[in-house]
Amino acid sequence: MSSWNVVLWNDPVNLMDYVVWVLRSVLGRTEEEARRMMLLAHQAGRVVVDVRSREQAEMQALLLRNHSLRVTLEAS
Amino acid sequence: MTRFRIEGDGIEVGLDPAELEIMARLATLLESQASDRRDPASDAVDAPLYPDDAVASREFARFAARERNQSRALDRERFTKRLDEMKSGSILLGDADAAAWARVLAEARVSLAARHGLFDQGLPEDGSITTDTALIVLLGHVQGDLIAVMLEKMEDAE
């Protein structure tokens, strides 16, 4: 089964701490992981926040988009 | 005034009357937007899910739109209901309430920014402030205070 990267894109509107909270509450990341991912997105413009099957990746993307975050999927 | 603070298992809300009035109008604004054919917040975050596959992206968008509309309507309903309760005194937000408030505030900020073409470039750095950019900033302060308390609660629970 193929794997898909869940890619979170930086945006200049959502608060950094809000992104950390979303990554913690939706993806179950630790505070340290979530903050590192948020900073990577902020600095590099994007970060892979999860790698899943296509169906699971779509569900993750849906949940993250429901939190007003910009997310795309790409083949891993 | 402290806008949010941990009280027992919940989060006590201490918005001042002016902020309360703005929050009440916010729910109405978002509801009217939800009935528009084009939703600025959705357009801002809904880039094609698969950048190289337009067909799969459209299929996902159809499925996601229905789910998102339901989810946002529930959040707005929860947000408005708790705000109304503040008219008769202070309220305590449970975890689900607080999460709904955080999402509603995020949606509002993204919507306002998108409507003014600010979602991609951010707020102006030249100091020019309009009513809407001031509102985005104010909502950011409210959301930031709420998120700080929510993260603190998460830490306490670990």
Side-chain angles (χ1 to χ4, degrees):
Chain A
M1 185 165 39
S2 62
S3 296
W4 291 79
N5 292 338
V6 180
V7 181
L8 171 69
W9 293 83
N10 182 53
D11 76 72
V13 176
N14 280 304
L15 303 178
M16 289 179 168
D17 277 351
Y18 174 67
V19 176
V20 170
W21 171 73
V22 174
L23 294 176
R24 294 200 64 184
S25 57
V26 173
L27 301 185
R29 298 295 182 194
T30 64
E31 167 79 19
E32 189 183 349
E33 288 169 341
R35 205 159 283 282
R36 190 173 62 242
M37 286 175 170
M38 177 276 294
L39 285 173
L40 271 171
H42 184 66
Q43 288 159 0
R46 49 167 273 164
V47 64
V48 174
V49 294
D50 214 344
V51 182
R52 298 269 181 161
S53 69
R54 184 167 181 150
E55 193 177 336
Q56 289 174 332
E58 286 193 350
M59 287 311 298
Q60 300 280 33
L62 180 64
L63 290 170
L64 293 169
R65 285 184 171 200
N66 282 351
H67 287 75
S68 301
L69 300 185
R70 186 177 276 175
V71 175
T72 57
L73 301 185
E74 64 185 19
S76 177
Chain B
M1 176 188 278
T2 304
R3 292 187 179 106
F4 302 98
R5 69 182 184 89
I6 295 173
E7 178 65 42
D9 289 336
I11 296 174
E12 189 177 44
V13 184
L15 297 175
D16 68 33
E19 289 173 337
L20 196 55
E21 175 71 25
I22 289 168
M23 296 297 130
R25 291 184 185 191
L26 196 63
T28 309
L29 168 80
L30 291 173
E31 276 162 23
S32 72
Q33 272 187 189
S35 62
D36 286 350
R37 271 189 69 236
R38 292 191 68 79
D39 173 359
S42 301
D43 289 349
V45 298
D46 285 358
L49 186 69
Y50 298 96
D52 300 325
D53 189 340
V55 174
S57 294
R58 275 198 299 274
E59 202 172 298
F60 175 80
R62 271 195 297 275
F63 156 72
R66 188 175 56 243
E67 215 290 324
R68 182 189 54 231
N69 290 342
Q70 285 175 352
S71 166
R72 288 189 172 164
L74 285 173
D75 281 345
R76 282 194 288 270
E77 188 180 319
R78 195 184 278 268
F79 178 76
T80 307
K81 181 170 178 283
R82 301 313 315 271
L83 270 183
D84 283 346
E85 290 169 10
M86 281 193 74
K87 290 173 186 164
S88 44
S90 68
I91 59 166
L92 214 56
L93 299 179
D95 289 344
D97 290 328
W101 278 47
R103 285 189 292 266
V104 167
L105 290 165
E107 184 195 355
R109 296 186 76 243
V110 167
S111 289
L112 287 164
R115 283 200 163 187
H116 296 277
L118 301 172
F119 186 69
D120 287 310
Q121 69 261 39
L123 298 179
E125 292 177 0
D126 61 2
S128 60
I129 289 287
T130 66
T131 305
D132 282 332
T133 53
L135 184 54
I136 294 170
V137 171
L138 170 68
L139 296 177
H141 289 311
V142 174
Q143 191 195 26
D145 287 353
L146 174 60
I147 291 293
V149 173
M150 291 166 77
L151 286 173
E152 189 184 333
K153 277 195 83 208
M154 275 180 157
E155 289 296 311
D156 290 349
E158 287 171 357

